[in-house]
Amino acid sequence: MTLEEVVGSNSTEKKMETVTQALEELLVAAQRQDCVTVGVYESAKLMNVDPDSVVLCILATDEEDEDDIALQIHFTLLQAFCCDNDINILRLSGMRRLAQVLQEEDTEDSNGNEPRDLHCILVTNPPVQPLQCQALQDVSSFCKESRGRNQWVPCLELQDR
């Protein structure tokens, strides 16, 4: 390994860590302002009604979900829609950490409803009261840089804490 490779990989790791932290901050801020839509069906419904308000689509899986053909078909359709509508997309692994960030429990709620489907999450930015956070700009910049390197759907991993 050359010095350039060592320095380059170290800065790439640092960049990924920074973007991952920004994503977590963005999700928390967006959730506080009720700008998060959770679930494949709910996300598809929102994108059909108001695609212009969507600024980020997160497609989350873990290894056990990779063989779920129906989920992969949904992801393919959502990715195509996002590309057609200039919506930033991220693939994400680390479902347990994602649930922690969104303060979701793996158990049923008090009404006996199943936990929400965290496989697809949309962040919206309504024109009336737009999100004002650096984290959104950081994540958007990362997505734009990735597209510049022909990586249309960049991948991030949330680490358990």
Side-chain angles (χ1 to χ4, degrees), residues 48-65:
N48 189 40
V49 174
D50 189 15
D52 294 335
S53 70
V54 180
V55 293
L56 179 64
C57 177
I58 300 168
L59 304 175
T61 58
D62 278 332
E63 280 186 36
E64 61 267 11
D65 299 319

Side-chain angles (χ1 to χ4, degrees), residues 64 86 101 106 154:
E64 61 267 11
D86 294 323
V101 169
D106 289 337

